Amino acid sequence: MSNKYVNLRKIVKYLHEEDIESHSNPEERLKKLYDTDNEHLLEILNAVHFYPELLKKDGEYNIQKEDGELIEWILKKYTSPDMKLIRKGEFAKADIGVVYKLLDGLNKILQHLEVDEETIMAQQQIMNQKTNYHITVRMWNMQYNFMRLMHDITYYMQMPTFNLTYDNKVEYLDRAMEITEEYVKTVRQAFTDIWKERARYVKQNAIPITLEEMQFSERSIDIINILYKNDEYVKIKERLKKLKGDKGFIKKYEKEKSRLESRLIEIFREEVKQFPIDVDKMTKIEKIMCLSDGAFQVHYDGTEKQAYVTFDVETTGWNKYYI
């Protein structure tokens, strides 16, 4: 192993150096601690759907030294309240700073791996699908900016070098409050505008579904999670996104798109065998739910006593594959 890399054994030995050296049988103690820490690391990686084999070479962990600190941090934090929530998949309940550090760190590790870009993008897509990473990043950035703003205001009020009088400070805080109130109104209005736009979209694109299809929507999420553990499936999804952005020669594009979509259906049929489901008896809506990456919303109109689904992805073109 190159000096540029460390394995998990070295990390575990470093973390528990005192414990290991004071034990009557250091090697036996190291092995036990290694097995425990390895289980803990795998549990965290699996929680965010990070494929652990990416960190290995010839079956052994092969981690760049600069990334070793993140692995140490994960192992140290394993029993913390926030990491317990992450282990259970309750990312929204965990401290946003902890979630951000974990996901940002894993994304940085991906950039250091000696693997092709397609594999990196596929792994990022899997993690994003599981953890809402992009939302976490934006929430963290907003929280950081708010904290920095309050720090600056407190600093302005306390530093004598600014030579502000009592009246100067009151005037500044009054202005800051006016700007803040206007900002709050703008932020709330932005949400209202987006929400109304979404409501119009739902109303225009909602598709009536049966109660059975409504109930199936929950099971479809389990199927989607299984599909996203299939590397080929994720890579095809990424390839389809690239094709859509660069259609080029239209006939060649349609042929390639058709071939990839056909393969997706084959993988879908193979993976669904893990469930007590007969694919041929599934409705068109149920199949599209499974292949839409969860980009749909189900809602029930109590007045009409009718369930609806709204898809946020293109669903045309799939019909011919449901044979």
Side-chain angles (χ1 to χ4, degrees), residues 19 142 215 227 299:
D19 183 353
M142 287 179 67
Q215 292 167 353
L227 288 171
H299 45 105

Side-chain angles (χ1 to χ4, degrees), residues 1-57:
M1 182 179 292
S2 166
N3 290 332
K4 200 178 157 188
Y5 297 89
V6 293
N7 55 31
L8 185 60
R9 181 184 170 88
K10 285 185 178 180
I11 293 174
V12 172
K13 193 172 182 179
Y14 172 77
L15 281 176
H16 306 283
E17 187 174 8
E18 198 172 308
D19 183 353
I20 294 168
E21 289 181 355
S22 63
H23 197 273
S24 57
N25 190 330
E27 272 303 313
E28 183 181 315
R29 182 60 178 159
L30 174 57
K31 183 181 183 306
K32 187 173 181 179
L33 290 169
Y34 175 90
D35 291 342
T36 300
D37 281 351
N38 185 38
E39 285 181 16
H40 291 174
L41 177 60
L42 291 175
E43 187 178 353
I44 299 297
L45 295 179
N46 288 330
V48 298
H49 285 188
F50 187 99
Y51 188 50
E53 295 306 310
L54 288 173
L55 301 178
K56 298 180 180 180
K57 187 175 182 181

Side-chain angles (χ1 to χ4, degrees), residues 10 75 91 105 130 145 169 204 236 294:
K10 285 185 178 180
L75 296 175
F91 304 103
K130 178 65 178 176
N145 285 332
K169 292 179 180 179
Q204 292 169 2
I236 290 175

Side-chain angles (χ1 to χ4, degrees), residues 293-310:
D293 299 341
F296 67 86
Q297 288 186 340
V298 172
H299 45 105
Y300 183 78
D301 189 319
T303 305
E304 297 180 9
K305 294 184 178 179
Q306 174 65 57
Y308 294 89
V309 64
T310 306

Side-chain angles (χ1 to χ4, degrees), residues 23-232:
H23 197 273
S24 57
N25 190 330
E27 272 303 313
E28 183 181 315
R29 182 60 178 159
L30 174 57
K31 183 181 183 306
K32 187 173 181 179
L33 290 169
Y34 175 90
D35 291 342
T36 300
D37 281 351
N38 185 38
E39 285 181 16
H40 291 174
L41 177 60
L42 291 175
E43 187 178 353
I44 299 297
L45 295 179
N46 288 330
V48 298
H49 285 188
F50 187 99
Y51 188 50
E53 295 306 310
L54 288 173
L55 301 178
K56 298 180 180 180
K57 187 175 182 181
D58 299 326
E60 184 179 357
Y61 285 100
N62 192 47
I63 303 161
Q64 285 205 20
K65 281 186 176 179
E66 61 187 297
D67 298 322
E69 288 184 10
L70 179 74
I71 305 301
E72 290 175 23
W73 176 79
I74 290 174
L75 296 175
K76 286 178 181 177
K77 285 282 186 180
Y78 176 80
T79 57
S80 69
D82 291 307
M83 206 60 88
K84 285 179 181 177
L85 290 169
I86 290 171
R87 280 151 50 192
K88 291 191 289 185
E90 297 178 355
F91 304 103
K93 293 181 182 178
D95 180 84
I96 194 169
V98 175
V99 177
Y100 175 77
K101 182 171 181 176
L102 174 63
L103 299 180
D104 185 62
L106 290 174
N107 271 300
K108 285 177 180 174
I109 284 179
L110 283 173
Q111 301 305 318
H112 301 154
L113 296 176
E114 296 176 359
V115 294
D116 59 89
E117 186 180 347
E118 199 171 57
T119 299
I120 292 174
M121 291 179 66
Q123 176 60 80
Q124 288 175 330
Q125 175 68 15
I126 293 171
M127 277 204 303
N128 294 344
Q129 177 80 18
K130 178 65 178 176
T131 64
N132 286 327
Y133 172 70
H134 293 299
I135 292 175
T136 300
V137 169
R138 284 158 178 75
M139 290 291 289
W140 169 250
N141 287 339
M142 287 179 67
Q143 180 174 295
Y144 173 76
N145 285 332
F146 292 147
M147 290 170 61
R148 190 172 63 177
L149 175 62
M150 286 308 302
H151 174 272
D152 288 349
I153 290 174
T154 303
Y155 176 73
Y156 298 154
M157 293 300 96
Q158 293 177 346
M159 285 300 292
T161 52
F162 291 126
N163 295 317
L164 295 179
T165 67
Y166 175 86
D167 288 340
N168 291 151
K169 292 179 180 179
V170 169
E171 181 185 0
Y172 167 73
L173 290 173
D174 284 344
R175 287 189 190 179
M177 180 59 74
E178 286 177 14
I179 294 168
T180 302
E181 287 175 349
E182 190 60 37
Y183 169 77
V184 169
K185 287 179 186 176
T186 303
V187 170
R188 287 175 175 164
Q189 187 60 48
F191 174 80
T192 300
D193 293 343
I194 291 172
W195 172 59
K196 285 182 177 178
E197 185 180 336
R198 173 64 185 170
R200 283 194 295 270
Y201 177 87
V202 169
K203 189 173 182 180
Q204 292 169 2
N205 296 278
I207 303 169
I209 58 174
T210 65
L211 289 178
E212 289 77 13
E213 288 171 331
M214 182 179 180
Q215 292 167 353
F216 179 83
S217 66
E218 295 183 11
R219 176 173 281 187
S220 72
I221 301 302
D222 294 330
I223 295 173
I224 290 168
N225 287 334
I226 290 295
L227 288 171
Y228 263 85
K229 289 181 180 178
N230 185 301
D231 288 344
E232 185 185 1

